[in-house]
Amino acid sequence: MSYSFTKEQRLLTAKDFGYVFDHPARLSDRFFTVLAKKQLSPKQARLGLAIAKKNLKKAHDRNLVKRVVRESFRLNQEKLMGFDIVVLVKGNVSLDNRELLHQSLKQHWDKVGKL
């Protein structure tokens, strides 16, 4: 398995995001809300990010969270096969400890893999 993050693994269009936002499985903790939905024709997992400026004011904070989420997704993509996933961040996310963010995301990926 390749651990890259290619363009085919991203949700790019409003139609793609709309598909996930329409009746998804919703997982939530104190840092993230993860929306997941099975693909109609299963293939590789795809990720979309919705990191609101309202929740993280500074661009470098939003970019840091995006990097952490993409890295975690990339390393756990084999258990997410056949899912479209959108990750939303909550305003109280702690950027001081990236390991907490990785643990939170790993728990979400494990739950999505069991759906």
Side-chain angles (χ1 to χ4, degrees), residues 12-68:
L12 297 173
T13 64
K15 181 180 176 184
D16 293 340
F17 276 87
Y19 172 74
V20 178
F21 282 119
D22 186 36
H23 306 296
R26 182 181 298 263
L27 308 167
S28 191
D29 67 5
R30 64 185 186 152
F31 299 128
F32 300 103
T33 298
V34 176
L35 308 175
K37 193 165 182 183
K38 270 275 202 215
Q39 296 170 348
L40 296 175
S41 56
K43 47 188 177 241
Q44 62 188 0
R46 298 189 307 167
L47 176 69
L49 298 169
I51 312 297
K53 195 174 186 179
K54 179 175 108 179
N55 293 334
L56 291 171
K57 302 284 187 230
K58 298 180 180 173
H60 61 87
D61 291 341
R62 291 191 301 277
N63 291 335
L64 178 109
V65 170
K66 289 178 191 178
R67 281 194 307 272
V68 168

